[in-house]
Amino acid sequence: MCGIVGGVTDQNITPLLLEGLNRLEYRGYDSSGLIVLSKQNSFERARSVGKVSNLEMNLKSRSKEINGKIGIAHTRWATHGEPSSLNAHPHISKNTVSVVHNGIIENYLELKNIQIKQGYEFKSETDTEVIAHSIDSEMQLGSSLVESVQKAVKSFEGSYGIGVISSKYPDQIIAARKGSPLLIGISENGNYIASDQMALLSKTNKFIFLEEGDIAEVKLDKVTIYDLDGKLVNRPVQKSKLKAGQVDKGNFNHFMQKEIFEQPQAIRDTLESRITNDSVISSSFGHKADEIFRSIDQIQIAACGTSYNAGLVAKYWIEDIAKIPCHVEIASEYRYRRPILLDNTLFVTLSQSGETADTLEALKAAKKINNTLKSLCISNSAESSLTRLSDLTFLTHAGPEIGVASTKAFTTQLVSLALLMCSIGKLKGYISRRQESEIVNGLKKLPGLINEALLQETQIKQLAKSFTNKNSALFLGRGTMYAIAMEGALKLKEISYIHAEAYPAGELKHGPIALIDKNMPVIAIAPNDELLEKLKSNLQEVKSRGSKMLVFEDENSKVQSMDSMKVIPITSNLGRISAPIIFTIPLQLLSYHVALSREADVDKPRNLAKSVTVE
């Protein structure tokens, strides 16, 4: 959730730290800070509450410039302790050790009590301070900086990605990770650390991805990596395909808007090299995919947030078309109960970042329950914890997604799940060649259909103004559209702060209809499917209660417009797979423009982070 960036270089490090923080701000923030070692090997630190721009103003207001060639920086999303400058990272122990930290130290109270008895003074409410004091304590006993980190981390329970510098070791940064991503950037004028490669793209496209338990000693011209047992290990240097321009807004006002309009290309990229001659290439899920898919009898999907909604859509497809039992659960709940996992189950995790803590832990828990389990990760990140832990991996090729509210990651997940459903169905003998060809041809049409749906932006922008002063909204759908209604409600609440709920339209009379009056706008999704007539009856029930309604329909659904009801045709002749993906687009546009009308921060909504790497 938080962001880390640091470096040892032959230039002033401060500009890079600020640039990296700005690029990492999308991950979540409520404060930020940086610290560098001066020429006199003393710490120079700046911290500010709020956006990184506040930190930049802080630095400009100082009479003396913060300047040095080694430093670390951090954007914080509060877990322990309220957002404040005292709780902002980096933290310092006795002017000797400074630390930035992502994750949670679960036993910090126990460690804190011990350290208070040792004479350490705590200046914040965070769990991170115990890390700095633990490392300093080991150094007091004569250990080197890297040895002190190696010893200190053994006392930590929980998760961490940390960057450490010391005034006694002015030529190095120590990086360590457990349960929180961390990487090293390699360049000609220095070496760097970051929690996300996007922070360093202006300096390098060569990265080492640290593995679980790794501790790295990063110097100007050398990187040494140890595993958790202290043994020297080699980790490959990989070349990133990302480019710095990919994380700019271009001609768009916000990253979210840009990413909504990038969906046609993101879907083309996801389909590329995965389909041929009207057939899905099942080996694109991994070289053992055919063998694994033929052997499975059921599918278990675990995911969080938007990814969970994608899983719910896939459940309809997989059971209806591929004829395989499919269960979908919220990962944060799954990991804490005692589920029954039958043999021949494919455990599917969905995560844009591949680092979602609850989803990662759900997979680990499932492997303990049934060690014969086969697993598949669908992710937008090639070098992530989930991809490394899974037997099979499918990358969505959505490209960088900066806006906190997921858009193109969601639709490319749906495309990936459709390909999965098709691969399993044909290998199990439940999907014929003709059906497969129809599905593939439908997927090929998606980019064009999405472009058509995007043409409705001007009309949706006008309709969004009617939501400006609303406090609640209700979304309705049936079948797969119920999951899409859930996604629409999630988007609206995420970025406009309007309370929104989604219900299956058939559940109206079981309680939700009591909420409907002239102040409760209702958004409905009306595809031309077997449930259309029932949905139309549900809409009449809503209309008779005085609600103002907005209906997104297939042109062939022909929902009759009434007073206080606006019907917007999106496209026509959508199938079971294409319909949920296409109807997602107007809901994304609606939430975006409602948020703008309410003057909300679209890309960085309050209290939220892009990648939830802590529980």
Side-chain angles (χ1 to χ4, degrees):
M1 296 175 101
C2 310
I4 288 175
V5 62
V8 185
T9 178
D10 56 10
Q11 305 166 359
N12 180 19
I13 193 69
T14 304
L16 173 70
L17 296 180
L18 287 171
E19 179 187 351
L21 291 181
N22 275 300
R23 292 186 180 277
L24 291 175
E25 198 170 27
Y26 77 97
R27 292 173 63 93
Y29 66 91
D30 54 50
S31 60
S32 61
L34 60 81
I35 193 167
V36 303
L37 274 174
S38 69
K39 292 180 180 179
Q40 293 75 36
N41 292 337
S42 62
F43 287 139
E44 295 184 9
R45 177 174 64 173
R47 299 181 292 178
S48 295
V49 176
K51 297 182 180 180
V52 175
S53 59
N54 294 345
L55 177 64
E56 291 173 320
M57 292 173 61
N58 178 340
L59 291 169
K60 288 178 182 177
S61 68
R62 295 181 173 225
S63 58
K64 182 182 177 183
E65 184 182 28
I66 290 184
N67 194 313
K69 295 183 178 181
I70 178 171
I72 50 179
H74 190 265
T75 57
R76 178 175 186 253
W77 192 89
T79 52
H80 292 83
E82 67 181 7
S84 69
S85 57
L86 286 177
N87 288 331
H89 300 209
H91 291 290
I92 299 172
S93 178
K94 294 189 175 181
N95 289 318
T96 301
V97 173
S98 183
V99 173
V100 289
H101 165 226
N102 290 350
I104 293 178
I105 304 303
E106 295 173 357
N107 63 331
Y108 85 102
L109 283 176
E110 176 187 337
L111 295 173
K112 183 175 181 178
N113 290 332
I114 294 171
Q115 291 168 358
I116 289 173
K117 292 176 181 177
Q118 292 174 335
Y120 284 98
E121 180 183 355
F122 282 78
K123 298 180 180 179
S124 78
E125 304 168 293
T126 71
D127 56 332
T128 301
E129 261 197 287
V130 303
I131 299 176
H133 295 326
S134 293
I135 296 169
D136 178 76
S137 177
E138 295 295 342
M139 288 181 67
Q140 300 284 350
L141 298 175
S143 296
S144 67
L145 183 58
V146 67
E147 290 170 343
S148 296
V149 174
Q150 288 171 326
K151 292 175 181 177
V153 297
K154 291 182 178 179
S155 67
F156 303 155
E157 296 175 9
S159 62
Y160 56 80
I162 58 175
V164 185
I165 60 175
S166 172
S167 57
K168 294 183 178 180
Y169 291 84
D171 64 337
Q172 62 189 258
I173 294 176
I174 306 300
R177 69 151 293 182
K178 177 190 173 187
S180 189
L182 207 59
L183 54 85
I184 298 169
I186 308 296
S187 81
E188 293 180 358
N189 67 326
N191 293 313
Y192 310 91
I193 68 167
S195 51
D196 189 315
Q197 56 190 301
M198 283 190 284
L200 302 175
L201 286 177
S202 67
K203 287 294 180 183
T204 184
N205 64 349
K206 296 178 181 178
F207 299 99
I208 297 172
F209 295 88
L210 295 181
E211 297 189 8
E212 192 77 350
D214 280 356
I215 296 173
E217 186 180 61
V218 181
K219 296 184 177 181
L220 180 67
D221 56 0
K222 184 180 181 182
V223 174
T224 307
I225 303 175
Y226 306 88
D227 64 17
L228 191 58
D229 297 322
K231 297 178 182 177
L232 281 170
V233 290
N234 290 315
R235 303 295 184 216
V237 177
Q238 302 188 36
K239 205 166 186 178
S240 174
K241 295 180 180 179
L242 292 177
K243 298 178 181 178
Q246 289 181 279
V247 292
D248 294 328
K249 287 190 288 247
N251 295 324
F252 293 92
N253 294 320
H254 298 89
F255 281 111
M256 182 180 179
Q257 184 186 34
K258 178 189 178 189
E259 288 153 10
I260 289 172
F261 278 82
E262 284 178 339
Q263 288 175 108
Q265 187 59 49
I267 287 174
R268 289 188 194 98
D269 292 342
T270 299
L271 291 173
E272 186 178 0
S273 302
R274 273 77 182 265
I275 52 177
T276 182
N277 297 325
D278 297 336
S279 179
V280 178
I281 303 172
S282 55
S283 60
S284 58
F285 290 90
H287 71 279
K288 292 185 178 179
D290 282 21
E291 175 188 345
I292 291 173
F293 290 170
R294 285 193 179 96
S295 69
I296 64 170
D297 295 326
Q298 68 172 2
I299 294 172
Q300 173 68 63
I301 297 175
C304 298
T306 284
S307 296
Y308 171 72
N309 294 337
L312 290 177
V313 174
K315 175 181 172 66
Y316 282 90
W317 293 340
I318 291 167
E319 295 193 340
D320 181 27
I321 303 172
K323 311 301 181 187
I324 302 289
C326 180
H327 309 283
V328 186
E329 293 205 40
I330 295 172
S332 58
E333 291 295 313
Y334 185 86
R335 62 182 286 199
Y336 286 116
R337 68 182 191 83
R338 294 177 176 82
I340 297 173
L341 269 172
L342 302 178
D343 291 341
N344 303 322
T345 294
L346 178 66
F347 196 92
V348 179
T349 56
L350 307 175
S351 170
Q352 189 277 145
S353 66
E355 300 291 350
T356 307
D358 287 314
T359 307
L360 184 60
E361 292 303 318
L363 176 56
K364 291 178 181 178
K367 286 176 172 283
K368 289 180 181 178
I369 293 169
N370 188 331
N371 59 15
T372 68
L373 195 76
K374 298 301 181 184
S375 57
L376 162 68
C377 170
I378 295 177
S379 175
N380 193 34
S381 178
E383 292 298 328
S384 68
S385 299
L386 273 171
T387 58
R388 286 195 290 269
L389 193 61
S390 301
D391 298 305
L392 303 173
T393 296
F394 190 92
L395 299 179
T396 59
H397 294 170
E401 188 178 67
I402 307 302
V404 167
S406 181
T407 52
K408 61 179 180 174
F410 177 69
T411 49
T412 53
Q413 281 180 352
L414 289 177
V415 168
S416 305
L417 288 162
L419 294 173
L420 173 66
M421 175 273 298
C422 200
S423 292
I424 293 174
K426 73 173 181 179
L427 288 169
K428 300 287 286 184
Y430 293 116
I431 293 178
S432 67
R433 289 295 303 273
R434 181 184 61 80
Q435 286 177 300
E436 182 185 17
S437 176
E438 290 174 352
I439 292 168
V440 169
N441 285 324
L443 292 173
K444 289 178 181 177
K445 294 177 182 177
L446 282 173
L449 292 171
I450 291 175
N451 279 323
E452 288 180 17
L454 290 169
L455 295 176
Q456 303 297 331
E457 184 182 28
T458 300
Q459 186 176 187
I460 291 171
K461 181 179 180 179
Q462 291 300 315
L463 290 168
K465 295 176 182 177
S466 65
F467 286 77
T468 304
N469 298 315
K470 298 298 181 183
N471 297 315
S472 296
L474 194 64
F475 287 72
L476 300 177
R478 302 198 72 144
T480 55
M481 296 306 156
Y482 167 48
I484 298 304
M486 290 175 64
E487 176 62 13
L490 177 60
K491 287 292 158 286
L492 190 66
K493 70 182 77 170
E494 277 182 311
I495 62 172
S496 73
Y497 317 138
I498 292 175
H499 169 250
E501 291 192 63
Y503 283 95
E507 285 291 294
L508 275 174
K509 291 191 285 290
H510 294 275
I513 202 166
L515 297 170
I516 295 174
D517 60 20
K518 63 181 181 180
N519 296 315
M520 174 71 80
V522 175
I523 301 95
I525 310 165
N528 184 24
D529 59 19
E530 66 276 9
L531 293 172
L532 177 61
E533 293 307 315
K534 292 185 181 296
L535 177 66
K536 287 181 178 180
S537 296
N538 299 142
L539 298 182
Q540 290 289 343
E541 293 169 350
V542 173
K543 183 66 189 67
S544 65
R545 270 75 181 176
S547 172
K548 292 185 178 181
M549 299 185 65
L550 176 56
V551 180
F552 295 110
E553 71 161 2
D554 185 300
E555 289 176 357
N556 295 321
S557 296
K558 302 191 183 303
V559 175
Q560 184 179 354
S561 183
M562 298 173 276
D563 291 341
S564 299
M565 177 194 284
K566 180 67 177 177
V567 179
I568 302 180
I570 297 303
T571 185
S572 61
N573 295 316
L574 296 177
R576 286 178 292 180
I577 294 173
S578 58
I581 298 170
I582 300 304
F583 277 106
T584 297
I585 307 304
L587 299 182
Q588 292 173 349
L589 290 171
L590 179 66
S591 63
Y592 172 72
H593 285 290
V594 171
L596 289 185
S597 73
R598 291 166 63 91
E599 299 182 350
D601 191 336
V602 173
D603 286 333
K604 301 164 189 172
R606 67 189 183 204
N607 302 332
L608 294 178
K610 183 64 178 174
S611 179
V612 184
T613 57
V614 295
E615 186 176 352

